[in-house]
Amino acid sequence: MAVIFICFAVNITAVEWLFIITAIFLVLITEILNSAIEYTVDLVTDDYHILARYAKDIAAAAVIFSSLYAVIAGMIILLPYFV
């Protein structure tokens, strides 16, 4: 929400809005998929299994990478307005 308010305040362009919105939704989508994978793995097995751990770790890594993209895109777009 803070990023959206900042973007309104500095009046970013339409193309910049597309990147910001894409970054926000990418993080939300990967988080939803991460949760789905974790619930599915928990549904399939109650026991500890190394492959279940890998599936959960890889899904979490996807969230981290999408969040990193969002931070980088936000910095590229917003830093010039503040420097």
Side-chain angles (χ1 to χ4, degrees), residues 1-13:
M1 293 303 290
V3 170
I4 293 173
F5 289 126
I6 291 170
C7 290
F8 273 118
V10 297
N11 198 23
I12 63 174
T13 67

Side-chain angles (χ1 to χ4, degrees), residues 17-27 69:
W17 269 114
L18 287 174
F19 278 101
I20 294 292
I21 302 275
T22 300
I24 291 169
F25 276 95
L26 181 65
V27 172
Y69 167 77

Side-chain angles (χ1 to χ4, degrees), residues 17-39:
W17 269 114
L18 287 174
F19 278 101
I20 294 292
I21 302 275
T22 300
I24 291 169
F25 276 95
L26 181 65
V27 172
L28 292 174
I29 290 166
T30 54
E31 185 58 48
I32 289 167
L33 291 173
N34 177 43
S35 296
I37 289 169
E38 288 189 2
Y39 287 134

Side-chain angles (χ1 to χ4, degrees), residues 8-78:
F8 273 118
V10 297
N11 198 23
I12 63 174
T13 67
V15 173
E16 291 170 334
W17 269 114
L18 287 174
F19 278 101
I20 294 292
I21 302 275
T22 300
I24 291 169
F25 276 95
L26 181 65
V27 172
L28 292 174
I29 290 166
T30 54
E31 185 58 48
I32 289 167
L33 291 173
N34 177 43
S35 296
I37 289 169
E38 288 189 2
Y39 287 134
T40 303
V41 168
D42 290 343
L43 178 67
V44 171
T45 181
D46 287 332
D47 299 329
Y48 175 80
H49 196 283
I50 192 69
L51 295 177
R53 176 180 164 217
Y54 289 160
K56 288 183 174 187
D57 288 349
I58 292 168
V63 175
I64 291 171
F65 280 114
S66 67
S67 299
L68 183 61
Y69 167 77
V71 168
I72 291 169
M75 288 175 52
I76 290 171
I77 291 170
L78 293 174

